[in-house]
Amino acid sequence: DRCILDLFYENGRWVYTYDESAVKVFRSVVNYSMYRGDGKLGVRYGNGSGVENNYEEACEWFKSSADNGNAEAKCNVDVMYEYGKGVKQNYDKAIKWFKDSADSGNAEAKFNVGIMYFNGNGVEQNDDEAFKWFEDSADSGHAEAQFYVGVMYEEGRGIKQNYNDAIVYYRASFN
């Protein structure tokens, strides 16, 4: 199965890790419309592993995978828009992609939406919204989100100040 083979090439299990070979396998996965090959190509183009680094190409592969429902790829597209990697920086598009990925259950995307509201990047700063997104991500086990929920309980931002709850979330974030 090509999906298993791509993991062997990517992680070096049972075969030596050859970045160029992994890229060839990912391309064949895309050609056969198999799940996640396009997202993996996006990662390869984004970090220059097995191919020349090319953020524009990475973003196109991520979008292709995102259009096929890959929540992780959606999260990668939003990061590209947030930081202007391969596309013009656009916070409106970033938040749209983050929320779309978050709605698919992606804990990292939920955390990133929380960060945007926490800092006011591309959206109006809103502690209540930030807390909501952080808590949702934290409930999925996202350690950074758990830490931020702890901060918000400690400082009384977006939620009534509660040092005991802050400690619970701080501890969870370090486990």
Side-chain angles (χ1 to χ4, degrees):
D1 177 277
R2 291 183 193 277
C3 289
I4 300 300
L5 185 60
D6 74 353
L7 292 176
F8 294 155
Y9 275 117
E10 184 179 36
N11 297 322
R13 282 192 174 147
W14 299 319
V15 295
Y16 294 104
T17 300
Y18 296 106
D19 290 335
E20 295 83 10
S21 297
V23 169
K24 287 178 187 173
V25 171
F26 297 146
R27 283 189 188 282
S28 70
V29 169
V30 171
N31 291 338
Y32 288 98
S33 299
M34 299 178 80
Y35 181 64
R36 292 180 51 147
D38 41 6
K40 290 186 177 292
L41 276 170
V43 171
R44 294 289 177 157
Y45 278 102
N47 65 22
S49 180
V51 293
E52 188 174 324
N53 178 269
N54 183 325
Y55 290 123
E56 292 86 7
E57 188 80 14
C59 195
E60 290 306 312
W61 286 112
F62 288 141
K63 285 179 182 178
S64 172
S65 187
D67 289 343
N68 289 321
N70 184 333
E72 187 177 318
K74 291 176 186 178
C75 192
N76 288 330
V77 172
D78 52 46
V79 169
M80 304 291 273
Y81 277 111
E82 182 179 15
Y83 294 103
K85 298 281 188 179
V87 292
K88 185 177 180 202
Q89 187 176 37
N90 185 322
Y91 287 122
D92 290 337
K93 287 186 179 181
I95 194 78
K96 175 229 172 267
W97 280 99
F98 275 135
K99 285 184 176 179
D100 192 30
S101 181
D103 290 343
S104 298
N106 187 297
E108 181 70 17
K110 293 174 186 178
F111 171 73
N112 288 333
V113 172
I115 287 290
M116 290 185 83
Y117 280 110
F118 188 81
N119 294 324
N121 290 344
V123 294
E124 187 174 323
Q125 197 282 330
N126 184 323
D127 286 339
D128 293 338
E129 278 294 307
F131 182 83
K132 179 184 90 171
W133 287 100
F134 286 148
E135 186 178 45
D136 196 16
S137 179
D139 290 345
S140 299
H142 192 281
E144 284 180 280
Q146 292 167 336
F147 181 82
Y148 272 87
V149 170
V151 167
M152 296 189 84
Y153 269 119
E154 181 181 5
E155 296 177 359
R157 291 181 63 179
I159 191 78
K160 184 179 179 196
Q161 190 174 46
N162 185 319
Y163 293 118
N164 291 329
D165 285 343
I167 290 169
V168 168
Y169 278 96
Y170 283 142
R171 283 186 178 150
S173 75
F174 292 111
N175 288 332

